[in-house]
């Protein structure tokens, strides 16, 4: 199956051709560890994890690097306000980030470097940039000479003249050109600093990713990912630095995830509209968040709403109820052969995943599979039943849409039912009433179907008949 990836360098979907056949060198910009992560940050993290999983499921050997930015202005500012050492403060939040990532069912990356542990490589790269004529030093500060890099703006489709016209802030007098950016800055009191050929100081923001990518992946990468806000200037500057230092292409494919919006604005700390990952997960569980984040294609905006949330809860419940139910399925010994829908599910999912990482499309096939398997659950041959379990494992490995611990996911949702209604809802009982109502409707026993609806209503359960024939339910508070 040919993998196609939308490459932001060319703004087109292209056949993905890694430098070395079967191997992928993949870098994703990781979080700045100064505070707890919010569910907008979670989108960038889960999309990186999704690419990682999809590559693996399509048979690639992946070297996946996701960094922690643990040296940064925001960290220093926050640490100083708390009277804490900046590196210690960042180390605390690296651990908190790990907790959040685990709660989202993310696979470990191959390497997770920190800026504070990459100083020799950062300094060496700045030396190379200067030696190659792209960097200059003013008062202990090293700056990148942007006009020297002729293809600057190629990724973000900006040109230098346009950039200068767009500069509103007063231009730093040290800079030869308003777009020049800092590679190394001199130490200030109360800030972490490292020895360098230019005196004690610390790196600018962009150089870390160039240095870490080279350290673990080499000079040229196959894919680089980050949130869409990182395309300019961060990724543009990464390209300028790496190509100036290494003299060759930095990365062949660039992918950016769109924002998670809240009330049509980007969810961000500066706008004050954030929901922390752990606050969300405490109520709904990480699987619901993961599910919602991958149920929209990574290049489309995700508008957060009550409806999106309820659909996420409902779908996660449906998937995991089904997964547990399959454990009690028994093969029908009188049947043989493989059911065609079950047989075609993995390849249908792979086809979607190969189409620019379309996890939402793959999930669609998985739901068709669920409905079908439920409808023929007593007529599964041994081969079909074995394949049912294989499809579930594939959905888990390739997208994480199925959790590795379905019991925990359902237990969390059950807690949610209690929280919202004030009454203990027995999900199994509800499901069995819904099943009975379905049978009543098929046998045209309308009185019993209505009666069941009333029983559920009395339990504050609202049911909805979906156009695809499934029934969803929720607790009305
Ligand atoms: P920050 O902490 O703002 O540096 O963001 C860390 C990562 O999260 C970056 O890759 C951002 O692009 C991404 N990010 C931040 N806010 C959002 C959002 N609302 N939706 C999607 N990604 C986001
Ligand atoms: Zn980066």
């Amino acid at each position: 199956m040919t993998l196609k990836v939308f490459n932001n360098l060319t703004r087109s979907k292209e056949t993905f051709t890694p430098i070395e056949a079967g191997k992928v060198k993949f870098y994703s910009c990781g979080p700045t560890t100064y505070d707890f992560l919010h569910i907008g940050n979670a989108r960038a993290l889960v999309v990186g994890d999704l690419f990682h999983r999809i590559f693996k499921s399509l048979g690639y050997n992946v070297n996946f690097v996701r960094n922690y930015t643990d040296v940064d202005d925001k960290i220093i500012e926050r640490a100083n306000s708390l009277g804490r050492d900046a590196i210690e403060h960042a180390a605390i939040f690296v651990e908190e980030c790990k907790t959040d990532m685990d709660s989202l069912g993310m696979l470990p990356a191959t390497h997770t470097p920190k800026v504070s542990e990459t100083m020799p490589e950062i300094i060496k790269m700045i030396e190379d940039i200067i030696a190659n004529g792209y960097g200059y030093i003013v008062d202990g500060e090293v700056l990148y000479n942007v006009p020297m890099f002729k293809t600057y703006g190629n990724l973000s489709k900006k040109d230098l003249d346009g950039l200068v016209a767009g500069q509103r802030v007063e231009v730093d007098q040290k800079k030869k050109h308003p777009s020049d950016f800092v590679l190394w800055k001199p130490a200030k009191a109360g800030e972490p600093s490292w020895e360098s050929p230019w005196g004690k100081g610390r790196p600018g923001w962009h150089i870390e990713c160039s240095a870490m990518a080279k350290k673990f992946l080499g000079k040229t990468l196959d894919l680089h990912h980050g949130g869409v806000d990182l395309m300019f200037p961060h990724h543009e500057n990464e390209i300028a630095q790496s190509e100036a230092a290494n003299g060759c292409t930095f990365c062949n494919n660039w992918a950016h995830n769109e924002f998670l919006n809240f009330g049509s604005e980007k969810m961000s700390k500066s706008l004050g509209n954030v929901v922390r990952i752990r606050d969300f997960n405490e109520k709904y569980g990480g699987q619901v968040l993961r599910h919602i984040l991958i149920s929209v294609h990574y290049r489309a905006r995700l508008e957060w709403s009550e409806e999106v949330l309820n659909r996420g809860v409902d779908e996660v419940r449906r998937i995991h109820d089904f997964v547990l139910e399959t454990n009690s399925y028994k093969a029908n010994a009188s049947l043989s052969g493989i059911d065609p829908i079950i047989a075609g599910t993995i390849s249908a999912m792979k086809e979607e995943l190969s189409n620019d990482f379309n996890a939402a499309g793959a999930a669609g096939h998985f739901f068709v599979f669920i409905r079908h398997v439920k409808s023929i659950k007593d007529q599964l041959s041994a081969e079909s039943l074995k394949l049912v379990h294989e499809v579930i494992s594939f959905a888990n490995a390739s997208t994480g849409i199925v959790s590795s611990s379905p019991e925990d996911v359902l237990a969390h949702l059950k807690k949610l039912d209690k929280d919202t209604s004030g009454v203990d809802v027995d999900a199994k009982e509800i499901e069995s009433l819904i099943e009975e109502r379905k049978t009543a409707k098929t046998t045209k026993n309308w009185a019993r179907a209505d009666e069941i609806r009333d029983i559920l209503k009395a339990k504050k359960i609202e049911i909805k008949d979906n156009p695809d024939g499934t029934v969803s339910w929720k607790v009305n508070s």
Side-chain angles (χ1 to χ4, degrees), residues 32 38 40-41 43-44 227 229-230 257-260 266-267:
T32 306
H38 58 75
N41 303 133
R43 184 167 196 201
D229 54 332
L230 299 185
N257 64 273
E258 254 300 343
F259 284 137
L260 181 152
K266 173 196 174 193
M267 176 170 284

Side-chain angles (χ1 to χ4, degrees), residues 309-319 466 471-473:
L309 174 61
N310 288 338
R311 197 184 325 125
V313 169
D314 177 52
E315 291 183 350
V316 168
R317 198 192 303 269
R318 266 199 276 159
I319 290 173
N466 299 317
V471 178
S472 38
W473 62 275

Side-chain angles (χ1 to χ4, degrees), residues 459-471:
K459 288 180 180 287
K460 293 191 177 178
I461 305 296
E462 188 187 317
I463 50 177
K464 193 172 142 232
D465 294 305
N466 299 317
D468 61 5
T470 58
V471 178

Side-chain angles (χ1 to χ4, degrees), residues 355-390:
N355 180 10
D356 195 23
F357 307 112
N358 187 2
H365 288 288
F366 190 60
F367 277 114
V368 169
F369 159 84
I370 292 179
R371 272 194 300 279
H372 179 66
V373 172
K374 278 170 88 90
S375 73
I376 58 159
K377 62 184 176 195
D378 301 321
Q379 302 140 50
L380 292 166
S381 67
E383 296 106 300
S384 288
L385 183 55
K386 184 166 166 271
L387 200 50
V388 164
H389 293 299
E390 281 171 22

Side-chain angles (χ1 to χ4, degrees), residues 258-306:
E258 254 300 343
F259 284 137
L260 181 152
N261 282 352
F262 202 72
S264 77
E265 277 186 294
K266 173 196 174 193
M267 176 170 284
S268 83
K269 286 200 192 89
S270 54
L271 292 171
N273 60 354
V274 296
V275 177
R276 287 175 176 178
I277 294 176
R278 61 190 52 194
D279 292 341
F280 181 90
N281 289 359
E282 194 182 321
K283 186 157 183 192
Y284 300 97
Q287 189 63 28
V288 173
L289 181 52
R290 180 179 183 93
H291 185 95
I292 293 172
L293 295 175
I294 62 174
S295 56
V296 171
H297 189 263
Y298 74 94
R299 282 193 291 117
R301 273 189 212 127
L302 170 50
E303 304 289 344
W304 195 264
S305 69
E306 195 67 16

